[in-house]
Amino acid sequence: MEKSNIYIGEIIKNVMAEQQVTKAELARRLNVKPQSVDYMLTRKSIDTDTLYNVSRALDYDFALLYSIHKNQTNCDNKEQEYEFSSAKVLIELDLRPEDIAKLNLKKRITDALK
C-alpha cells in the first residue's frame, strides 16, 4: 500500500500563515498549551480528532487532503473549477397539517417510497 506524502504539520503552518493566525492564537482556539501547537506543527501525521479540531479552528477542511477520490475538490487550489457528478440536497420544512393536506404530501411520499 502506498504511503501518504502529506506532512500535515507543514500544511497547517502554511494555512496559519495565509490566515495570519499565530501559534498562540491557534493554541487559544484549540484550548491547548502553545507547546502542543509547536509539537503538532512538526508532525507528519496527527490523529483524526486533532485534525478535526484544527480544521474547525482554522475553518479549513484538512481531511480533503487525504481524499482518495480522483475528482475531489482541492481546498488548496482556488482556481480549480468545481466538478460534481451528483449532488445530494437535504431540505427541512416545517409544515402545518393543512399545508401537508394541500400539497398531498402523504400520498406523494408513500408513492415515492414504493
Side-chain angles (χ1 to χ4, degrees):
M1 183 176 208
E2 186 179 323
K3 287 192 173 190
S4 164
N5 62 352
I6 296 170
Y7 285 81
I8 195 64
E10 286 297 318
I11 295 169
I12 294 169
K13 276 186 211 175
N14 292 338
V15 172
M16 288 172 62
E18 285 176 13
Q19 295 183 9
Q20 298 178 341
V21 174
T22 64
K23 292 177 186 179
E25 174 60 18
L26 182 57
R28 186 192 65 73
R29 291 180 188 182
L30 295 172
N31 199 27
V32 299
K33 295 179 181 178
Q35 295 88 342
S36 297
V37 171
D38 283 332
Y39 177 72
M40 177 185 63
L41 297 178
T42 66
R43 307 288 301 153
K44 180 186 184 318
S45 62
I46 58 177
D47 67 81
T48 53
D49 284 342
T50 303
L51 186 67
Y52 173 79
N53 290 331
V54 173
S55 292
R56 297 276 315 241
L58 295 174
D59 193 28
Y60 187 99
D61 193 352
F62 291 99
L64 283 177
L65 299 169
Y66 296 95
S67 176
I68 59 173
H69 300 291
K70 293 181 183 189
N71 291 330
Q72 77 181 28
T73 301
N74 290 319
C75 49
D76 59 345
N77 186 351
K78 294 179 178 155
E79 302 300 320
Q80 177 180 343
E81 290 290 325
Y82 296 127
E83 295 179 24
F84 295 103
S85 58
S86 65
K88 184 178 192 178
V89 177
L90 300 174
I91 300 173
E92 184 175 325
L93 299 172
D94 189 12
L95 298 173
R96 298 181 310 240
E98 56 270 19
D99 295 330
I100 294 170
K102 283 181 192 175
L103 296 170
N104 198 19
L105 287 181
K106 285 183 181 178
K107 182 176 182 341
R108 289 182 182 192
I109 291 170
T110 303
D111 291 346
L113 294 175
K114 287 182 182 179

